[in-house]
């Protein structure tokens, strides 16, 4: 048994398919199958069983999978450290960012970070918060930005840094009957047409959950994950929307009116990463740089600089 065999086992378990795992790992399927058979022979345990065209872990394999995943992660971190021992300001960094967060907040920070550390190779990918959380947990992303809370996150080494906490506002045309209100409740707007978010994004669950708490089904007329498109649909008269305060502050008040929702619904943004990965220079540099930037911004605006760090992404 060697670390390669363990990596193969983890990928097959993740993909639930020898074919897909082989494609991801860029190895032949016979080589992958042989590695799994060697593990089964050494441990004298069956690791997978077939269910039609799919495979699934046996109970014995499920029991040891988290430990094996941890071993593989630790080895990858160690391997990266040994390759970059004498080069503390270089390496690779992968960030996962929801489209709704990137353009409004992170773009200038990423620009300044790359100017400060040009030797770091940066890869940015866009996903919804649930997928980003899963990719960080699976060690396929080093750092992720998500809307909190994140469900189904089981890695105890995950660190969470809350960097933004703001209310959601109700957005409408100036001729709306609610335009002169100081605030509005979800019950009051229950029959209003809403331009809503796509189910793959966390704000969908957060807002829909609040409607469900009062026994209301929102009148959804369109769905999008793009701030600009949502506001354009509101301008066109298709419907109203619920958006974060910072987005509303950028809108032209002559064209769109926004008011607070009561009780308050918060949009909470956090950065997540694996604490063990902080040994990797590029990750450590980014996490510290980002946190320093947030602290500076809070001080400029007279806010409490923090820290706001948790060891569990569900908080």
């Amino acid at each position: 048994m060697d670390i390669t065999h363990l990596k193969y086992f983890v990928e097959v378990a993740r993909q639930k398919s020898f074919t897909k795992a082989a494609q991801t790992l860029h190895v032949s399927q016979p080589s992958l199958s042989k590695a799994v058979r060697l593990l089964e022979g050494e441990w004298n345990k069956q690791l997978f069983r077939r269910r039609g065209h799919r495979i699934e872990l046996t109970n014995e394999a499920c029991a040891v999978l988290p430990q094996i995943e941890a071993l593989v992660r630790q080895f990858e971190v160690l391997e990266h450290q040994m390759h970059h021992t004498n080069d503390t300001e270089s390496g690779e960094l992968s960030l996962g960012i929801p489209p709704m967060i990137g353009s409004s907040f992170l773009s200038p920070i990423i620009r300044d970070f790359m100017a400060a550390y040009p030797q770091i190779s940066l890869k940015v990918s866009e996903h919804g918060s649930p997928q980003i959380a899963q990719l960080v947990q699976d060690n396929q992303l080093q750092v992720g930005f998500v809307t909190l809370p994140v469900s189904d996150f089981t890695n105890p080494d995950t660190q969470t840094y809350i960097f933004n906490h703001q209310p959601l506002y109700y957005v409408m045309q100036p001729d709306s009957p609610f335009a002169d209100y100081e605030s509005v409740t979800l019950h009051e707007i229950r029959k209003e047409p809403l331009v809503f978010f796509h189910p793959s994004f966390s704000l969908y669950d957060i807002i829909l959950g609040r409607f469900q708490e009062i026994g209301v089904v929102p009148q959804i007329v369109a769905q999008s994950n793009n701030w600009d498109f949502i506001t354009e649909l509101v301008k066109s008269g298709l419907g109203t929307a619920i958006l974060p305060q910072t987005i509303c502050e950028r809108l032209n008040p002559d064209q769109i009116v926004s008011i607070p929702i009561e009780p308050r619904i918060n949009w909470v943004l956090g950065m997540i990463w694996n604490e063990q990965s902080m040994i990797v220079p590029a990750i450590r540099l980014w996490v510290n740089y980002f946190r320093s930037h947030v602290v500076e911004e809070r001080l400029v605006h007279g806010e409490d600089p923090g820290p706001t760090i948790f060891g569990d992404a569900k908080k």
Side-chain angles (χ1 to χ4, degrees):
M1 177 183 67
D2 61 30
I3 194 67
T4 301
H5 295 162
L6 297 180
K7 287 182 179 179
Y8 287 0
F9 164 70
V10 168
E11 193 60 37
V12 174
R14 182 179 295 143
Q15 300 288 349
K16 294 182 173 60
S17 165
F18 280 92
T19 301
K20 292 180 180 179
Q23 293 172 348
T24 301
L25 294 165
H26 305 292
V27 299
S28 68
Q29 189 171 332
S31 298
L32 195 59
S33 300
K34 181 180 179 181
V36 171
R37 286 198 303 271
L38 287 172
L39 285 177
E40 290 179 325
E42 185 164 344
W43 292 337
N44 195 27
K45 299 287 185 182
Q46 182 182 359
L47 299 177
F48 298 98
R49 64 168 65 93
R50 291 197 173 275
R51 296 288 187 188
H53 296 294
R54 295 179 63 80
I55 62 171
E56 63 180 27
L57 287 167
T58 62
N59 291 336
E60 292 86 351
C62 283
V64 299
L65 178 60
Q67 296 166 275
I68 295 175
E69 288 177 321
L71 284 173
V72 170
R73 284 196 298 267
Q74 290 172 2
F75 181 83
E76 290 173 344
V77 169
L78 176 61
E79 191 175 42
H80 189 284
Q81 182 190 21
M82 295 307 294
H83 288 161
H84 297 85
T85 300
N86 298 319
D87 196 0
T88 59
E89 294 190 358
S90 66
E92 298 179 352
L93 174 65
S94 61
L95 303 178
I97 304 173
M100 288 187 167
I101 297 178
S103 60
S104 62
F105 185 82
L106 293 175
S107 298
I109 304 177
I110 292 174
R111 176 201 62 206
D112 294 344
F113 176 79
M114 293 308 299
Y117 303 103
Q119 299 304 313
I120 290 178
S121 175
L122 177 66
K123 179 181 179 181
V124 177
S125 56
E126 287 189 331
H127 310 281
S129 291
Q131 186 177 0
I132 288 175
Q134 188 62 50
L135 289 170
V136 171
Q137 178 170 261
D138 292 342
N139 208 37
Q140 297 183 44
L141 274 177
Q142 294 169 325
V143 180
F145 291 86
V146 296
T147 298
L148 296 170
V150 176
S151 61
D152 300 325
F153 208 98
T154 58
N155 190 335
D157 294 322
T158 301
Q159 294 292 302
T160 304
Y161 178 69
I162 294 176
F163 62 88
N164 193 286
H165 191 286
Q166 61 181 276
L168 298 180
Y169 277 46
Y170 182 56
V171 178
M172 73 210 93
Q173 289 187 315
D175 60 358
S176 166
F178 298 101
D180 293 329
Y181 282 40
E182 292 187 3
S183 64
V184 70
T185 67
L186 293 184
H187 187 267
E188 288 173 320
I189 63 171
R190 65 191 183 282
K191 295 182 179 180
E192 297 298 308
L194 274 178
V195 180
F196 216 57
F197 303 102
H198 191 273
S200 63
F201 282 73
S202 296
L203 276 177
Y204 176 93
D205 292 325
I206 292 171
I207 300 172
L208 188 62
R210 289 297 189 92
F211 274 110
Q212 291 173 342
E213 287 176 5
I214 62 172
V216 170
V217 177
Q219 304 302 305
I220 299 174
V221 295
Q223 291 176 287
S224 174
N225 292 318
N226 183 286
W227 302 129
D228 294 332
F229 187 56
I230 290 175
T231 55
E232 287 301 320
L233 290 178
V234 174
K235 288 180 187 177
S236 73
L238 179 65
T240 59
I242 296 175
L243 298 173
Q245 180 183 18
T246 52
I247 301 300
C248 296
E249 289 172 350
R250 303 197 321 231
L251 303 177
N252 185 342
D254 294 329
Q255 296 178 312
I256 291 184
V257 175
S258 59
I259 58 176
I261 297 173
E262 297 293 344
R264 175 169 168 158
I265 305 175
N266 289 316
W267 188 44
V268 183
L269 304 179
M271 177 174 67
I272 60 175
W273 70 95
N274 188 307
E275 180 62 23
Q276 293 186 11
S277 69
M278 286 291 280
I279 196 172
V280 178
I283 300 175
R284 185 171 63 252
L285 286 170
W286 168 262
V287 170
N288 291 335
Y289 184 92
F290 182 82
R291 287 165 55 180
S292 296
H293 173 87
V294 171
V295 169
E296 289 176 6
E297 286 293 308
R298 288 175 176 172
L299 289 172
V300 167
H301 292 91
E303 301 173 6
D304 182 358
T308 313
I309 303 175
F310 302 111
D312 187 339
K314 294 181 181 179
K315 295 185 178 180

